[in-house]
């Protein structure tokens, strides 16, 4: 009950103040922590690069927040894949519509390269895709015979984004 009294007294103070921006609706959920960050860029490196986990992260930031993929890089170190992503905050005015298009993990890596000719990033991303398609195939062939929705969405994107068909045979199961 002490909390209610405090709320009503602060409410009275807010009524006297013409600035309604400071009024907080107690019933409204707090903003997700990432949306409370006062920055225009977020750099992330997921601890698990499985497509399912990457898709969940990209979904959360792009669909439930005001973030778009600005850039990506990839490295293979010590037998593990590391994908680094830079997300940029989108403005409320549409920012030329950039945040209306969902960008899948690897969007910036498909044709990317340090030389602009399919250099390191494109080479590593191609190896990443092949590795994960084979891994997902093994998961699919296990007794449960099931892939998570995020894995299936990623496979569909990979097949639709490739230009020369080099991944089609790996995903034709």
């Amino acid at each position: 009950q002490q909390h209610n009294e405090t709320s009503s007294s602060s409410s009275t103070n807010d009524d006297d103040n013409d600035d309604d921006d400071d009024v907080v609706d107690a019933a409204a959920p707090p903003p997700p922590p990432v949306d409370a960050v006062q920055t225009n860029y977020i750099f992330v490196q997921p601890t698990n690069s499985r497509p399912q986990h990457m898709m969940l992260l990209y979904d959360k930031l792009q669909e439930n927040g005001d973030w778009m993929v600005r850039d990506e890089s990839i490295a293979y170190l010590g037998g593990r894949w590391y994908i680094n992503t830079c997300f940029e905050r989108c403005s409320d005015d549409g920012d030329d519509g950039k945040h209306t298009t969902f960008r899948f993990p690897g969007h910036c890596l498909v044709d990317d390269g340090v030389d602009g000719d399919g250099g390191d990033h494109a080479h590593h991303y191609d190896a990443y895709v092949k590795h994960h398609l084979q891994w997902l195939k093994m998961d699919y062939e296990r007794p449960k015979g099931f892939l998570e929705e995020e894995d299936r969405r990623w496979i569909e994107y990979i097949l639709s984004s490739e230009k020369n068909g080099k991944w089609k045979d790996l995903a034709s199961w």
Side-chain angles (χ1 to χ4, degrees):
Q1 196 162 29
Q2 184 178 4
H3 175 51
N4 289 342
E5 292 172 6
T6 304
S7 295
S8 67
S9 68
S10 67
S11 171
T12 304
N13 291 339
D14 287 338
D15 289 341
D16 295 338
N17 185 351
D18 290 335
D19 185 12
D20 289 335
D21 292 340
D22 295 335
V23 177
V24 176
D25 181 4
V34 71
D35 288 337
V37 175
Q38 297 299 311
T39 186
N40 289 325
Y41 296 92
I42 297 175
F43 297 89
V44 297
Q45 182 185 72
T47 57
N48 185 328
S49 66
R50 181 183 174 122
Q52 174 191 5
H53 300 289
M54 298 290 294
M55 290 293 294
L56 289 169
L57 174 66
Y58 279 52
D59 282 346
K60 179 72 173 170
L61 289 171
Q62 292 182 92
E63 292 178 357
N64 300 326
D66 293 326
W67 301 95
M68 65 172 249
V69 175
R70 171 56 67 198
D71 197 13
E72 295 170 305
S73 65
I74 187 169
Y76 186 71
L77 301 167
R80 293 195 57 168
W81 296 102
Y82 297 94
I83 296 181
N84 306 296
T85 309
C86 173
F87 287 91
E88 181 178 11
R89 185 183 298 271
C90 300
S91 65
D92 289 338
D93 63 6
D95 205 14
D96 297 325
K98 289 187 282 188
H99 73 289
T100 59
T101 302
F102 181 85
R103 291 186 175 172
F104 284 81
H107 172 84
C108 300
L109 300 172
V110 173
D111 293 320
D112 192 17
V114 288
D115 310 313
D117 63 355
D120 287 343
H121 289 173
H123 169 76
H124 287 308
Y125 186 66
D126 181 60
Y128 166 88
V129 168
K130 289 176 181 176
H131 168 80
H132 281 86
L133 286 173
Q134 291 168 349
W135 182 14
L136 292 172
K137 179 181 179 183
M138 287 188 305
D139 277 359
Y140 182 74
E141 290 175 344
R142 289 190 176 139
K144 73 174 185 171
F146 177 76
L147 290 178
E148 297 294 334
E149 175 190 351
E150 294 83 11
D151 286 329
R152 290 191 313 268
R153 285 177 47 216
W154 179 77
I155 291 170
E156 289 172 14
Y157 165 72
I158 289 301
L159 294 178
S160 69
S161 68
E162 70 171 329
K163 294 180 175 130
N164 59 13
K166 61 185 170 187
W167 297 324
K168 276 201 188 330
D169 290 340
L170 294 173
S172 62
W173 30 273

